[in-house]
Amino acid sequence: MEKIERKWWKEASVYQIYPRSFMDSNGDGIGDLRGIIDKLDYLKDLGVDVVWISPFYDSPLDDNGYDISNYKAIHKDLGTMEDMEELIRGLHKRDMKLLIDLVVNHTSDEHPWFIESKKGKDNPYSDYYIWKDRKNNWESVFSGSAWEYCKERNQYYLHVFSKKQADLNWENKKVREEVYDIMNFWIGKGCDGFRMDVINLISKRFRDDNYKGEEYFFNGPRVHEYLKEMHERVLKGRNLMTVGECPGANIEDGLKFSGFNEGELNMIFTFQHMDVDSKNGKWDFKDFSLVELKKILSSWQEGLHGKAWNSLYLNNHDQPRMVSRFGNDSKYWKESAKMLAHVIHTMEGTPYIYQGEELGMTNLKMDIPGDLRDVESINAYNDLISRGVFTKDHMDEAIARKARDNARTPIQWDDSENAGFTKGSPWMKVNPNYKLINAKAEKEDGDSILNFYKKLLKARKEIPTLIYGKFKEYFKDDKNLYVFERKLADTKVISINSFSSKDLGFNIGEFLYEIGEDTSKYEILHTNMKREGFKDIYELKPYECLSLVKLNED
Ligand code: TEU
Ligand code: CA
């Protein structure tokens, strides 16, 4: 039997909070730390073990806080350091842990290091950033050149994201020491781990000549050396949790970053499955194919098993809402939201729930460009239309489908004004569907998406097969069905998921027989329909999901 190394972060479920949109406690229209404190019992009741909070630090908010001007201070909109300490105590008291966002590929251009660095070539901070005499044709993820001219130095600085997010120079040892110092500061405050923003971008492959290519930002030559050093200096022996955000990482990279014996990170976020509805870049959208999505998800399951650890997600603050994207947010809203959750929570890896996902929150029908708040969408909209890359009609649809703002609308707590998020006027539009989709209504409805998530999380606590079982897929080429099993010793879970809006012929008893299983040993674990037994199922309903479990006989 294969050896299993139990770890708390493998058995945990994570909930991501985007603080400005979570809960406003003081009526200024902006979510804050006291708002999170007020909802800790909600999170505990949901059954999550770890709370990851997106940046809450001091920031000019060019990228909603992913542009940090002081790593050791709380943004005044969100509260104070005392609030943060109370929040950490509140989590720990409830046996939950805190994951903080470590954004150290870049800082804000208003960070004191950058303000000093800008002044000239001979000051202690001059090499904290990436300065060049000539720019090349690298493009920013947020449109336009990745280089910005600075008159004082007569040089250009690199910014892979907005021009207010200057890339740090990790080749400078002093920069790395600063990062370790920030990490130690927060470990001292009681934080239990780090979600590391674009951590595979910290080492770049420079060239002076003109060439395009994100591959020169990603997975650079020294990235593993830096992460091993960070592990050695800060993480080792501390039993913290780490997850690295790694756009552009494939399975091979995943094994390097998160391999059990590599001494780098516990797990990474890959983006391969988030690209299934793009052609040439995010705004060049297409409909996704289930076969392609399955192929990516399954290959990560197979490729990492026993060697590294997966993170499991279909949503975060940068992605449109999964039910609108991969499910059906009208007629089969409830069924498809549950089915997508079921896919994720019956796989191997650590599941991440993004705030509001557990309610089945949907994309926002935006007035474009008026409702846009996000620097990425605003820049892309202006840039791509004015350069004639896409028509206005195309961009209207691209934004509606893909904009990050879709994920950032305030959480829908109840059916009162502004969905109970704020007593003031919300910083961002509330999705008008809050009268139907909200936490209060779902709490009271035993059949709600919220209550389904609770069951999914609870089962992961009770059935080790769901955590450690080996993944095996069936019907790989089926365009509508995603079927897989998880096997641990002689226990098994079989997960059956329909992505179709039509009835699908599927004889479950016969399927079990064909794969050599004794139907009498199985019972239903999860269902999003009203199923009493499974032996007489010959047809799956639209977006039906069902898992069957066989436990040890004794
Ligand atoms: O995201 C990095 C990243 O590459 C993407 O998720 C990106 O935002 C998206 O693909 C654009 O379409 C991280 C953060 O999660 C994001 O919110 C920040 O804007 C970005 O880094 C810069 O810090
Ligand atoms: Ca507030």
Side-chain angles (χ1 to χ4, degrees):
M1 209 182 98
E2 72 182 288
K3 200 175 142 268
I4 275 152
E5 206 187 340
R6 291 190 62 181
K7 294 277 183 201
W8 69 264
W9 44 264
K10 294 179 182 171
E11 298 176 16
S13 306
V14 185
Y15 188 91
Q16 181 192 354
I17 290 182
Y18 197 66
R20 304 185 84 78
S21 298
F22 188 66
M23 180 66 202
D24 175 24
S25 70
N26 63 352
D28 66 356
I30 304 169
D32 45 52
L33 299 182
R34 298 222 69 86
I36 303 176
I37 293 171
D38 291 343
K39 295 293 180 186
L40 288 176
D41 287 330
Y42 170 84
L43 298 174
K44 185 67 194 169
D45 185 52
L46 175 58
V48 295
D49 310 286
V50 178
V51 176
W52 151 30
I53 309 184
S54 279
F56 44 74
Y57 317 94
D58 228 357
S59 160
L61 303 178
D62 188 56
D63 186 18
N64 270 338
Y66 281 88
D67 48 318
I68 298 173
S69 52
N70 185 346
Y71 290 90
K72 297 180 184 173
I74 307 296
H75 194 286
K76 62 172 179 9
D77 292 347
L78 302 197
T80 63
M81 193 56 88
E82 286 68 43
D83 295 331
M84 192 66 210
E85 285 160 0
E86 187 178 330
L87 171 54
I88 296 173
R89 280 196 302 275
L91 283 165
H92 289 169
K93 201 174 82 193
R94 291 170 180 79
D95 222 3
M96 294 189 282
K97 294 185 190 279
L98 174 68
L99 203 63
I100 64 166
D101 221 307
L102 185 70
V103 188
V104 287
N105 171 69
H106 44 267
T107 74
S108 164
D109 66 340
E110 296 181 32
H111 194 290
W113 301 336
F114 190 76
I115 293 172
E116 287 306 309
S117 192
K118 230 165 73 161
K119 288 183 183 159
K121 295 180 188 166
D122 43 37
N123 72 69
Y125 296 92
S126 83
D127 291 334
Y128 267 46
Y129 296 86
I130 299 169
W131 295 98
K132 298 278 176 196
D133 295 334
R134 282 180 36 183
K135 56 177 180 174
N136 60 19
N137 70 345
W138 286 8
E139 280 174 9
S140 153
V141 176
F142 294 161
S143 306
S145 171
W147 299 96
E148 184 73 8
Y149 181 68
C150 166
K151 225 170 108 199
E152 293 98 315
R153 283 182 65 134
N154 188 25
Q155 278 187 312
Y156 297 88
Y157 67 88
L158 179 70
H159 61 89
V160 170
F161 296 92
S162 95
K163 57 177 175 243
K164 289 186 67 60
Q165 291 166 298
D167 282 56
L168 283 164
N169 174 20
W170 276 66
E171 295 191 6
N172 181 349
K173 198 162 173 9
K174 280 195 271 176
V175 167
R176 307 205 295 277
E177 294 296 334
E178 299 275 13
V179 170
Y180 307 151
D181 174 61
I182 293 164
M183 293 172 81
N184 281 321
F185 174 85
W186 284 103
I187 294 168
K189 292 270 174 219
C191 107
D192 305 286
F194 301 94
R195 176 271 186 187
M196 302 183 189
D197 195 60
V198 288
I199 201 67
N200 64 329
L201 269 63
I202 57 179
S203 165
K204 278 97 177 165
R205 247 177 218 105
F206 283 104
R207 285 172 42 161
D208 281 337
D209 53 334
N210 273 345
Y211 61 93
K212 281 271 170 57
E214 295 181 324
E215 64 264 36
Y216 299 97
F217 308 152
F218 297 155
N219 310 321
R222 297 185 67 185
V223 64
H224 297 292
E225 173 197 332
Y226 297 152
L227 286 176
K228 285 186 163 64
E229 183 184 279
M230 176 195 279
H231 187 267
E232 201 51 41
R233 292 287 310 278
V234 186
L235 301 167
K236 202 172 150 186
R238 274 181 148 154
N239 205 20
L240 299 166
M241 171 173 171
T242 53
V243 50
E245 191 206 23
C246 294
N250 58 27
I251 294 176
E252 207 185 309
D253 299 315
L255 290 168
K256 291 188 196 152
F257 285 112
S258 62
F260 293 144
N261 301 317
E262 290 294 333
E264 295 190 18
L265 303 171
N266 294 151
M267 63 193 104
I268 68 164
F269 292 128
T270 174
F271 282 83
Q272 291 190 322
H273 65 302
M274 292 284 104
D275 291 336
V276 293
D277 51 4
S278 305
K279 286 183 268 186
N280 188 17
K282 160 166 186 168
W283 306 112
D284 194 8
F285 58 82
K286 65 173 187 194
D287 290 336
F288 82 102
S289 114
L290 179 64
V291 173
E292 192 187 340
L293 179 65
K294 291 194 300 185
K295 201 170 158 197
I296 296 167
L297 293 174
S298 302
S299 64
W300 280 83
Q301 291 286 298
E302 291 156 3
L304 264 49
H305 180 79
K307 302 181 189 134
W309 194 251
N310 271 294
S311 61
L312 306 168
Y313 77 96
L314 290 175
N315 285 276
N316 62 39
H317 65 294
D318 294 332
Q319 301 296 332
R321 290 285 181 182
M322 73 176 186
V323 65
S324 303
R325 189 182 195 180
F326 303 116
N328 173 314
D329 64 9
S330 48
K331 191 165 175 203
Y332 300 112
W333 163 70
K334 193 191 268 192
E335 293 81 357
S336 65
K338 288 182 183 176
M339 182 278 292
L340 292 166
H342 182 256
V343 169
I344 287 296
H345 291 262
T346 49
M347 284 187 160
E348 182 179 11
T350 299
Y352 289 74
I353 300 168
Y354 174 67
Q355 63 177 35
E357 173 189 332
E358 78 280 16
L359 306 173
M361 278 179 64
T362 67
N363 280 354
L364 176 68
K365 291 196 174 40
M366 283 179 265
D367 291 330
I368 301 168
D371 284 339
L372 293 179
R373 291 287 172 276
D374 176 19
V375 59
E376 182 196 31
S377 304
I378 294 168
N379 288 357
Y381 194 78
N382 295 332
D383 179 57
L384 296 172
I385 295 175
S386 71
R387 287 197 292 123
V389 178
F390 292 121
T391 62
K392 187 179 168 305
D393 283 353
H394 174 98
M395 279 311 287
D396 284 344
E397 189 176 349
I399 296 270
R401 284 182 180 228
K402 299 294 244 345
R404 306 195 297 181
D405 281 334
N406 279 309
R408 299 177 178 182
T409 62
I411 295 306
Q412 296 161 206
W413 293 107
D414 59 38
D415 64 2
S416 69
E417 209 186 337
N418 297 319
F421 162 73
T422 179
K423 296 213 157 36
S425 129
W427 75 280
M428 195 184 163
K429 193 165 170 174
V430 175
N431 195 318
N433 64 20
Y434 71 88
K435 299 258 179 211
L436 288 169
I437 304 178
N438 66 68
K440 183 162 178 278
E442 295 202 29
K443 198 171 176 204
E444 288 154 12
D445 169 12
D447 184 44
S448 66
I449 298 168
L450 176 65
N451 280 308
F452 191 73
Y453 268 85
K454 289 185 198 173
K455 288 181 203 153
L456 292 172
L457 296 183
K458 190 160 169 278
R460 292 180 70 91
K461 295 280 174 240
E462 292 163 353
I463 304 173
T465 320
L466 285 169
I467 310 288
Y468 296 106
K470 189 170 166 55
F471 174 95
K472 179 176 166 189
E473 187 181 359
Y474 295 95
F475 314 113
K476 289 189 184 222
D477 297 326
D478 195 288
K479 293 188 177 67
N480 298 302
L481 268 181
Y482 197 9
V483 180
F484 53 86
E485 66 169 40
R486 305 283 308 288
K487 184 176 184 314
L488 185 69
D490 53 358
T491 67
K492 213 174 241 192
V493 172
I494 296 174
S495 179
I496 299 167
N497 306 280
S498 167
F499 280 71
S500 175
S501 51
K502 301 197 174 64
D503 290 345
L504 287 182
F506 187 68
N507 184 330
I508 294 193
E510 198 175 284
F511 165 63
L512 259 69
Y513 178 76
E514 273 166 20
I515 63 169
E517 296 293 328
D518 177 353
T519 50
S520 70
K521 299 215 168 112
Y522 279 84
E523 55 185 79
I524 292 181
L525 174 62
H526 298 300
T527 165
N528 63 349
M529 301 289 151
K530 295 203 163 39
R531 297 288 194 189
E532 299 294 334
F534 63 90
K535 283 172 206 162
D536 56 350
I537 300 181
Y538 307 106
E539 202 164 66
L540 297 176
K541 298 281 168 214
Y543 294 101
E544 176 157 9
C545 67
L546 182 85
S547 41
L548 304 173
V549 62
K550 176 181 74 171
L551 297 171
N552 277 322
E553 254 107 285
D554 44 303

